[in-house]
Amino acid sequence: MKDISSNLKIDGIDKEILRSLMEDARKPILEIARKVGVSGAAIHQRLRKLEASGLITGSKFIIDPKVMGYKTMAFVGVYLDKAVSNPMAVRQLKDIPEVIECHYTTGNWSIFIKILCRDNEHLMKVLNKEIQAIEGVSRTETFISLDQQIDRQIKI
């Protein structure tokens, strides 16, 4: 057994359950149970334990943004004039639907965000009229993603 946290230990069966659900969260519990050789009830019990531990935080459908017309992904380093501006800036970034991730980082930027836009014109509008208009933002540095080449979770 491997120690994940001070309270949680996972074994080979737990790992198989997690791998199956990470591959397809809609995979039937009974199919997983047959594969690992335990009952469906045992799978449910193990899943409840993993959820209670915080290792599993839910399941979700993933929408392809390109199908929705969002073809430009960008990463933006946000420079703040003062560190105390961070909480206020993050609150305002939450109100911008194109901002899909926000990270407090070390290094040059105070905040590093990931945004999705329909095209470069939309990106420019979001940057100029919304992000750079936030009080405390002194400037931004933008990197447009040409192609996402790796998209995965941590290996179990």
Side-chain angles (χ1 to χ4, degrees), residues 7 17 21 30-31 33 35 37 55 60 66 75 86 94 102 117 137 155:
N7 301 350
I17 294 166
L21 292 173
L30 290 178
E31 183 180 324
K35 181 179 176 188
L55 181 64
K60 60 184 175 182
K66 290 178 182 168
F75 298 90
N86 187 19
K94 284 181 181 178
C102 179
C117 294
V137 171
K155 190 173 181 179

Side-chain angles (χ1 to χ4, degrees), residues 19-146:
R19 284 186 198 112
S20 289
L21 292 173
M22 287 169 67
E23 183 181 294
D24 179 2
R26 295 182 297 172
K27 190 171 284 184
I29 296 299
L30 290 178
E31 183 180 324
I32 297 169
R34 279 192 293 277
K35 181 179 176 188
V36 297
V38 298
S39 70
I43 299 287
H44 280 290
Q45 182 180 23
R46 285 172 177 264
L47 285 172
R48 279 195 299 276
K49 172 191 78 167
L50 295 169
E51 286 175 317
S53 75
L55 181 64
I56 297 175
T57 58
S59 61
K60 60 184 175 182
F61 287 100
I62 298 170
I63 297 190
D64 185 340
K66 290 178 182 168
V67 174
M68 296 291 296
Y70 289 80
K71 298 185 182 339
T72 299
M73 178 187 296
F75 298 90
V76 181
V78 179
Y79 295 86
L80 297 175
D81 55 9
K82 296 178 241 154
V84 293
S85 300
N86 187 19
M88 184 187 68
V90 171
R91 276 194 303 276
Q92 291 180 46
L93 287 167
K94 284 181 181 178
D95 292 335
I96 302 170
E98 293 85 356
V99 175
I100 59 171
E101 289 184 24
C102 179
H103 301 268
Y104 184 53
T105 63
T106 61
N108 293 333
W109 311 293
S110 305
I111 301 171
F112 195 67
I113 61 175
K114 179 178 178 182
I115 62 178
L116 277 171
C117 294
R118 289 183 299 280
D119 51 32
N120 287 353
E121 186 177 336
H122 182 202
L123 172 62
M124 189 171 70
K125 177 184 170 274
V126 170
L127 287 169
N128 293 338
K129 297 202 184 308
E130 298 185 57
I131 295 170
Q132 293 169 351
I134 293 172
E135 187 179 337
V137 171
S138 58
R139 66 187 178 100
T140 60
E141 191 171 347
T142 304
F143 306 89
I144 295 175
S145 172
L146 300 175

